[in-house]
Each structure stands twice: as C-alpha cells, then as structure tokens.
PDB file of all heavy atoms in Angstrom:
ATOM      1  N   ASP A 362       8.845-122.844-192.660  1.00  0.00           N
ATOM      2  CA  ASP A 362      10.286-122.684-192.860  1.00  0.00           C
ATOM      3  C   ASP A 362      10.581-122.153-194.258  1.00  0.00           C
ATOM      4  O   ASP A 362      11.431-121.277-194.447  1.00  0.00           O
ATOM      5  CB  ASP A 362      11.008-124.024-192.667  1.00  0.00           C
ATOM      6  CG  ASP A 362      11.575-124.187-191.264  1.00  0.00           C
ATOM      7  OD1 ASP A 362      11.600-123.193-190.508  1.00  0.00           O
ATOM      8  OD2 ASP A 362      12.004-125.301-190.921  1.00  0.00           O
ATOM      9  N   VAL A 363       9.872-122.690-195.247  1.00  0.00           N
ATOM     10  CA  VAL A 363      10.080-122.262-196.632  1.00  0.00           C
ATOM     11  C   VAL A 363       9.750-120.781-196.799  1.00  0.00           C
ATOM     12  O   VAL A 363      10.513-120.020-197.410  1.00  0.00           O
ATOM     13  CB  VAL A 363       9.229-123.109-197.596  1.00  0.00           C
ATOM     14  CG1 VAL A 363       9.315-122.547-199.015  1.00  0.00           C
ATOM     15  CG2 VAL A 363       9.683-124.564-197.592  1.00  0.00           C
ATOM     16  N   LEU A 364       8.626-120.361-196.247  1.00  0.00           N
ATOM     17  CA  LEU A 364       8.218-118.955-196.371  1.00  0.00           C
ATOM     18  C   LEU A 364       9.190-118.023-195.661  1.00  0.00           C
ATOM     19  O   LEU A 364       9.533-116.947-196.178  1.00  0.00           O
ATOM     20  CB  LEU A 364       6.803-118.782-195.818  1.00  0.00           C
ATOM     21  CG  LEU A 364       5.695-119.493-196.602  1.00  0.00           C
ATOM     22  CD1 LEU A 364       4.372-119.428-195.858  1.00  0.00           C
ATOM     23  CD2 LEU A 364       5.561-118.903-198.002  1.00  0.00           C
ATOM     24  N   ARG A 365       9.650-118.436-194.478  1.00  0.00           N
ATOM     25  CA  ARG A 365      10.629-117.618-193.752  1.00  0.00           C
ATOM     26  C   ARG A 365      11.952-117.556-194.501  1.00  0.00           C
ATOM     27  O   ARG A 365      12.595-116.501-194.574  1.00  0.00           O
ATOM     28  CB  ARG A 365      10.850-118.173-192.340  1.00  0.00           C
ATOM     29  CG  ARG A 365       9.696-117.893-191.373  1.00  0.00           C
ATOM     30  CD  ARG A 365      10.108-118.198-189.950  1.00  0.00           C
ATOM     31  NE  ARG A 365      10.358-119.620-189.752  1.00  0.00           N
ATOM     32  CZ  ARG A 365       9.447-120.482-189.338  1.00  0.00           C
ATOM     33  NH1 ARG A 365       8.208-120.077-189.102  1.00  0.00           N
ATOM     34  NH2 ARG A 365       9.753-121.754-189.169  1.00  0.00           N
ATOM     35  N   CYS A 366      12.349-118.687-195.060  1.00  0.00           N
ATOM     36  CA  CYS A 366      13.594-118.750-195.814  1.00  0.00           C
ATOM     37  C   CYS A 366      13.534-117.859-197.047  1.00  0.00           C
ATOM     38  O   CYS A 366      14.473-117.127-197.357  1.00  0.00           O
ATOM     39  CB  CYS A 366      13.885-120.199-196.217  1.00  0.00           C
ATOM     40  SG  CYS A 366      15.471-120.459-197.026  1.00  0.00           S
ATOM     41  N   ASP A 367      12.413-117.906-197.748  1.00  0.00           N
ATOM     42  CA  ASP A 367      12.236-117.085-198.945  1.00  0.00           C
ATOM     43  C   ASP A 367      12.328-115.601-198.610  1.00  0.00           C
ATOM     44  O   ASP A 367      12.988-114.824-199.316  1.00  0.00           O
ATOM     45  CB  ASP A 367      10.880-117.407-199.571  1.00  0.00           C
ATOM     46  CG  ASP A 367      10.582-116.559-200.787  1.00  0.00           C
ATOM     47  OD1 ASP A 367      11.375-116.611-201.748  1.00  0.00           O
ATOM     48  OD2 ASP A 367       9.567-115.842-200.777  1.00  0.00           O
ATOM     49  N   GLN A 368      11.683-115.188-197.508  1.00  0.00           N
ATOM     50  CA  GLN A 368      11.731-113.792-197.093  1.00  0.00           C
ATOM     51  C   GLN A 368      13.149-113.370-196.727  1.00  0.00           C
ATOM     52  O   GLN A 368      13.621-112.295-197.112  1.00  0.00           O
ATOM     53  CB  GLN A 368      10.796-113.574-195.900  1.00  0.00           C
ATOM     54  CG  GLN A 368      10.739-112.134-195.408  1.00  0.00           C
ATOM     55  CD  GLN A 368      10.241-111.162-196.467  1.00  0.00           C
ATOM     56  OE1 GLN A 368       9.389-111.517-197.280  1.00  0.00           O
ATOM     57  NE2 GLN A 368      10.775-109.943-196.466  1.00  0.00           N
ATOM     58  N   ARG A 369      13.837-114.239-195.991  1.00  0.00           N
ATOM     59  CA  ARG A 369      15.216-113.944-195.577  1.00  0.00           C
ATOM     60  C   ARG A 369      16.138-113.828-196.792  1.00  0.00           C
ATOM     61  O   ARG A 369      17.003-112.958-196.854  1.00  0.00           O
ATOM     62  CB  ARG A 369      15.690-115.055-194.641  1.00  0.00           C
ATOM     63  CG  ARG A 369      17.121-114.952-194.183  1.00  0.00           C
ATOM     64  CD  ARG A 369      17.289-114.032-192.979  1.00  0.00           C
ATOM     65  NE  ARG A 369      18.573-114.339-192.383  1.00  0.00           N
ATOM     66  CZ  ARG A 369      18.751-115.206-191.382  1.00  0.00           C
ATOM     67  NH1 ARG A 369      17.700-115.829-190.836  1.00  0.00           N
ATOM     68  NH2 ARG A 369      19.951-115.443-190.889  1.00  0.00           N
ATOM     69  N   PHE A 370      15.934-114.718-197.771  1.00  0.00           N
ATOM     70  CA  PHE A 370      16.764-114.672-198.974  1.00  0.00           C
ATOM     71  C   PHE A 370      16.559-113.362-199.733  1.00  0.00           C
ATOM     72  O   PHE A 370      17.514-112.755-200.217  1.00  0.00           O
ATOM     73  CB  PHE A 370      16.441-115.856-199.889  1.00  0.00           C
ATOM     74  CG  PHE A 370      17.223-115.854-201.170  1.00  0.00           C
ATOM     75  CD1 PHE A 370      18.515-116.350-201.208  1.00  0.00           C
ATOM     76  CD2 PHE A 370      16.670-115.347-202.345  1.00  0.00           C
ATOM     77  CE1 PHE A 370      19.250-116.342-202.388  1.00  0.00           C
ATOM     78  CE2 PHE A 370      17.400-115.328-203.520  1.00  0.00           C
ATOM     79  CZ  PHE A 370      18.689-115.833-203.547  1.00  0.00           C
ATOM     80  N   LYS A 371      15.304-112.950-199.842  1.00  0.00           N
ATOM     81  CA  LYS A 371      15.014-111.701-200.547  1.00  0.00           C
ATOM     82  C   LYS A 371      15.636-110.506-199.839  1.00  0.00           C
ATOM     83  O   LYS A 371      16.136-109.565-200.481  1.00  0.00           O
ATOM     84  CB  LYS A 371      13.498-111.519-200.676  1.00  0.00           C
ATOM     85  CG  LYS A 371      12.837-112.436-201.704  1.00  0.00           C
ATOM     86  CD  LYS A 371      11.345-112.224-201.751  1.00  0.00           C
ATOM     87  CE  LYS A 371      10.708-112.900-202.963  1.00  0.00           C
ATOM     88  NZ  LYS A 371      10.899-114.336-203.016  1.00  0.00           N
ATOM     89  N   GLU A 372      15.614-110.522-198.521  1.00  0.00           N
ATOM     90  CA  GLU A 372      16.219-109.430-197.753  1.00  0.00           C
ATOM     91  C   GLU A 372      17.738-109.407-197.929  1.00  0.00           C
ATOM     92  O   GLU A 372      18.355-108.351-198.013  1.00  0.00           O
ATOM     93  CB  GLU A 372      15.872-109.576-196.276  1.00  0.00           C
ATOM     94  CG  GLU A 372      14.389-109.358-195.974  1.00  0.00           C
ATOM     95  CD  GLU A 372      14.016-109.726-194.558  1.00  0.00           C
ATOM     96  OE1 GLU A 372      14.898-110.240-193.823  1.00  0.00           O
ATOM     97  OE2 GLU A 372      12.836-109.532-194.174  1.00  0.00           O
ATOM     98  N   PHE A 373      18.328-110.593-198.000  1.00  0.00           N
ATOM     99  CA  PHE A 373      19.785-110.702-198.169  1.00  0.00           C
ATOM    100  C   PHE A 373      20.212-110.380-199.597  1.00  0.00           C
ATOM    101  O   PHE A 373      21.337-109.952-199.841  1.00  0.00           O
ATOM    102  CB  PHE A 373      20.235-112.114-197.786  1.00  0.00           C
ATOM    103  CG  PHE A 373      21.703-112.374-197.960  1.00  0.00           C
ATOM    104  CD1 PHE A 373      22.651-111.689-197.205  1.00  0.00           C
ATOM    105  CD2 PHE A 373      22.147-113.321-198.881  1.00  0.00           C
ATOM    106  CE1 PHE A 373      24.016-111.942-197.369  1.00  0.00           C
ATOM    107  CE2 PHE A 373      23.503-113.577-199.045  1.00  0.00           C
ATOM    108  CZ  PHE A 373      24.435-112.890-198.284  1.00  0.00           C
ATOM    109  N   ARG A 374      19.304-110.600-200.555  1.00  0.00           N
ATOM    110  CA  ARG A 374      19.581-110.410-201.978  1.00  0.00           C
ATOM    111  C   ARG A 374      20.746-111.292-202.419  1.00  0.00           C
ATOM    112  O   ARG A 374      21.745-110.826-202.976  1.00  0.00           O
ATOM    113  CB  ARG A 374      19.851-108.931-202.293  1.00  0.00           C
ATOM    114  CG  ARG A 374      18.696-108.011-201.977  1.00  0.00           C
ATOM    115  CD  ARG A 374      18.878-106.640-202.589  1.00  0.00           C
ATOM    116  NE  ARG A 374      20.133-106.009-202.176  1.00  0.00           N
ATOM    117  CZ  ARG A 374      20.303-105.336-201.056  1.00  0.00           C
ATOM    118  NH1 ARG A 374      19.288-105.194-200.214  1.00  0.00           N
ATOM    119  NH2 ARG A 374      21.464-104.785-200.766  1.00  0.00           N
ATOM    120  N   GLY A 375      20.585-112.592-202.167  1.00  0.00           N
ATOM    121  CA  GLY A 375      21.642-113.545-202.492  1.00  0.00           C
ATOM    122  C   GLY A 375      21.748-113.850-203.974  1.00  0.00           C
ATOM    123  O   GLY A 375      20.824-113.595-204.755  1.00  0.00           O
ATOM    124  N   ASP A 376      22.888-114.403-204.347  1.00  0.00           N
ATOM    125  CA  ASP A 376      23.149-114.775-205.736  1.00  0.00           C
ATOM    126  C   ASP A 376      22.979-116.274-205.980  1.00  0.00           C
ATOM    127  O   ASP A 376      22.659-116.685-207.090  1.00  0.00           O
ATOM    128  CB  ASP A 376      24.584-114.386-206.127  1.00  0.00           C
ATOM    129  CG  ASP A 376      24.813-112.887-206.065  1.00  0.00           C
ATOM    130  OD1 ASP A 376      23.953-112.141-206.572  1.00  0.00           O
ATOM    131  OD2 ASP A 376      25.843-112.462-205.496  1.00  0.00           O
ATOM    132  N   ILE A 377      23.220-117.065-204.964  1.00  0.00           N
ATOM    133  CA  ILE A 377      23.168-118.516-205.102  1.00  0.00           C
ATOM    134  C   ILE A 377      22.840-119.131-203.742  1.00  0.00           C
ATOM    135  O   ILE A 377      23.115-118.520-202.698  1.00  0.00           O
ATOM    136  CB  ILE A 377      24.512-119.068-205.642  1.00  0.00           C
ATOM    137  CG1 ILE A 377      24.374-120.535-206.055  1.00  0.00           C
ATOM    138  CG2 ILE A 377      25.631-118.879-204.632  1.00  0.00           C
ATOM    139  CD1 ILE A 377      25.555-121.047-206.849  1.00  0.00           C
ATOM    140  N   ILE A 378      22.231-120.305-203.753  1.00  0.00           N
ATOM    141  CA  ILE A 378      21.825-120.953-202.505  1.00  0.00           C
ATOM    142  C   ILE A 378      22.580-122.267-202.321  1.00  0.00           C
ATOM    143  O   ILE A 378      22.672-123.080-203.249  1.00  0.00           O
ATOM    144  CB  ILE A 378      20.310-121.215-202.492  1.00  0.00           C
ATOM    145  CG1 ILE A 378      19.552-119.884-202.446  1.00  0.00           C
ATOM    146  CG2 ILE A 378      19.912-122.095-201.308  1.00  0.00           C
ATOM    147  CD1 ILE A 378      18.045-120.023-202.499  1.00  0.00           C
ATOM    148  N   LEU A 379      23.114-122.454-201.134  1.00  0.00           N
ATOM    149  CA  LEU A 379      23.731-123.713-200.738  1.00  0.00           C
ATOM    150  C   LEU A 379      22.835-124.399-199.723  1.00  0.00           C
ATOM    151  O   LEU A 379      22.426-123.785-198.739  1.00  0.00           O
ATOM    152  CB  LEU A 379      25.108-123.473-200.086  1.00  0.00           C
ATOM    153  CG  LEU A 379      26.358-123.570-200.956  1.00  0.00           C
ATOM    154  CD1 LEU A 379      26.342-122.452-201.990  1.00  0.00           C
ATOM    155  CD2 LEU A 379      27.608-123.489-200.105  1.00  0.00           C
ATOM    156  N   GLY A 380      22.522-125.668-199.959  1.00  0.00           N
ATOM    157  CA  GLY A 380      21.811-126.462-198.966  1.00  0.00           C
ATOM    158  C   GLY A 380      22.803-127.371-198.282  1.00  0.00           C
ATOM    159  O   GLY A 380      23.442-128.197-198.936  1.00  0.00           O
ATOM    160  N   VAL A 381      22.966-127.214-196.975  1.00  0.00           N
ATOM    161  CA  VAL A 381      23.924-128.021-196.214  1.00  0.00           C
ATOM    162  C   VAL A 381      23.159-128.807-195.155  1.00  0.00           C
ATOM    163  O   VAL A 381      22.624-128.222-194.213  1.00  0.00           O
ATOM    164  CB  VAL A 381      25.007-127.144-195.542  1.00  0.00           C
ATOM    165  CG1 VAL A 381      25.983-128.014-194.749  1.00  0.00           C
ATOM    166  CG2 VAL A 381      25.758-126.319-196.579  1.00  0.00           C
ATOM    167  N   GLY A 382      23.057-130.121-195.316  1.00  0.00           N
ATOM    168  CA  GLY A 382      22.348-130.901-194.319  1.00  0.00           C
ATOM    169  C   GLY A 382      21.697-132.130-194.908  1.00  0.00           C
ATOM    170  O   GLY A 382      22.102-132.644-195.954  1.00  0.00           O
ATOM    171  N   GLY A 383      20.644-132.607-194.215  1.00  0.00           N
ATOM    172  CA  GLY A 383      19.883-133.764-194.670  1.00  0.00           C
ATOM    173  C   GLY A 383      18.708-133.335-195.518  1.00  0.00           C
ATOM    174  O   GLY A 383      18.699-132.252-196.110  1.00  0.00           O
ATOM    175  N   GLY A 384      17.667-134.163-195.555  1.00  0.00           N
ATOM    176  CA  GLY A 384      16.555-133.934-196.455  1.00  0.00           C
ATOM    177  C   GLY A 384      15.814-132.631-196.265  1.00  0.00           C
ATOM    178  O   GLY A 384      15.483-131.941-197.230  1.00  0.00           O
ATOM    179  N   ARG A 385      15.532-132.254-195.017  1.00  0.00           N
ATOM    180  CA  ARG A 385      14.710-131.066-194.771  1.00  0.00           C
ATOM    181  C   ARG A 385      15.364-129.772-195.240  1.00  0.00           C
ATOM    182  O   ARG A 385      14.756-129.014-196.002  1.00  0.00           O
ATOM    183  CB  ARG A 385      14.342-130.996-193.294  1.00  0.00           C
ATOM    184  CG  ARG A 385      13.392-132.109-192.864  1.00  0.00           C
ATOM    185  CD  ARG A 385      13.111-132.075-191.387  1.00  0.00           C
ATOM    186  NE  ARG A 385      12.231-133.164-190.988  1.00  0.00           N
ATOM    187  CZ  ARG A 385      11.854-133.409-189.738  1.00  0.00           C
ATOM    188  NH1 ARG A 385      12.294-132.639-188.764  1.00  0.00           N
ATOM    189  NH2 ARG A 385      11.054-134.418-189.468  1.00  0.00           N
ATOM    190  N   PRO A 386      16.585-129.468-194.818  1.00  0.00           N
ATOM    191  CA  PRO A 386      17.203-128.226-195.315  1.00  0.00           C
ATOM    192  C   PRO A 386      17.444-128.233-196.814  1.00  0.00           C
ATOM    193  O   PRO A 386      17.338-127.185-197.466  1.00  0.00           O
ATOM    194  CB  PRO A 386      18.516-128.133-194.527  1.00  0.00           C
ATOM    195  CG  PRO A 386      18.751-129.481-193.963  1.00  0.00           C
ATOM    196  CD  PRO A 386      17.408-130.104-193.774  1.00  0.00           C
ATOM    197  N   LEU A 387      17.727-129.403-197.383  1.00  0.00           N
ATOM    198  CA  LEU A 387      17.926-129.460-198.830  1.00  0.00           C
ATOM    199  C   LEU A 387      16.621-129.166-199.558  1.00  0.00           C
ATOM    200  O   LEU A 387      16.614-128.477-200.586  1.00  0.00           O
ATOM    201  CB  LEU A 387      18.470-130.828-199.248  1.00  0.00           C
ATOM    202  CG  LEU A 387      19.877-131.197-198.749  1.00  0.00           C
ATOM    203  CD1 LEU A 387      20.335-132.504-199.403  1.00  0.00           C
ATOM    204  CD2 LEU A 387      20.886-130.096-199.008  1.00  0.00           C
ATOM    205  N   ASP A 388      15.501-129.665-199.038  1.00  0.00           N
ATOM    206  CA  ASP A 388      14.194-129.358-199.635  1.00  0.00           C
ATOM    207  C   ASP A 388      13.902-127.866-199.595  1.00  0.00           C
ATOM    208  O   ASP A 388      13.443-127.277-200.575  1.00  0.00           O
ATOM    209  CB  ASP A 388      13.085-130.106-198.885  1.00  0.00           C
ATOM    210  CG  ASP A 388      12.956-131.557-199.312  1.00  0.00           C
ATOM    211  OD1 ASP A 388      13.630-131.957-200.284  1.00  0.00           O
ATOM    212  OD2 ASP A 388      12.181-132.296-198.673  1.00  0.00           O
ATOM    213  N   VAL A 389      14.147-127.259-198.445  1.00  0.00           N
ATOM    214  CA  VAL A 389      13.891-125.820-198.288  1.00  0.00           C
ATOM    215  C   VAL A 389      14.783-125.020-199.231  1.00  0.00           C
ATOM    216  O   VAL A 389      14.342-124.040-199.853  1.00  0.00           O
ATOM    217  CB  VAL A 389      14.096-125.387-196.820  1.00  0.00           C
ATOM    218  CG1 VAL A 389      13.983-123.865-196.687  1.00  0.00           C
ATOM    219  CG2 VAL A 389      13.072-126.065-195.915  1.00  0.00           C
ATOM    220  N   ALA A 390      16.033-125.444-199.357  1.00  0.00           N
ATOM    221  CA  ALA A 390      16.956-124.756-200.263  1.00  0.00           C
ATOM    222  C   ALA A 390      16.487-124.875-201.710  1.00  0.00           C
ATOM    223  O   ALA A 390      16.518-123.903-202.481  1.00  0.00           O
ATOM    224  CB  ALA A 390      18.362-125.337-200.116  1.00  0.00           C
TER     225      ALA A 390
END
C-alpha cells in the first residue's frame, strides 16, 4: 500500500497529504 501510495502521489504531484481514517491509512500517509 505504501509503495502504491507513493507512486500515486508522485504522479499527482501533490503539495500536502491528508490522512483520513484509523491507524492504517494514517501510517501510510
């Protein structure tokens, strides 16, 4: 999940990350 998220973020070229959820999504964020 982390690797996929990192790739997706790079493709999106985001400025900031929001983690919305419990422990797992917050860890990935």
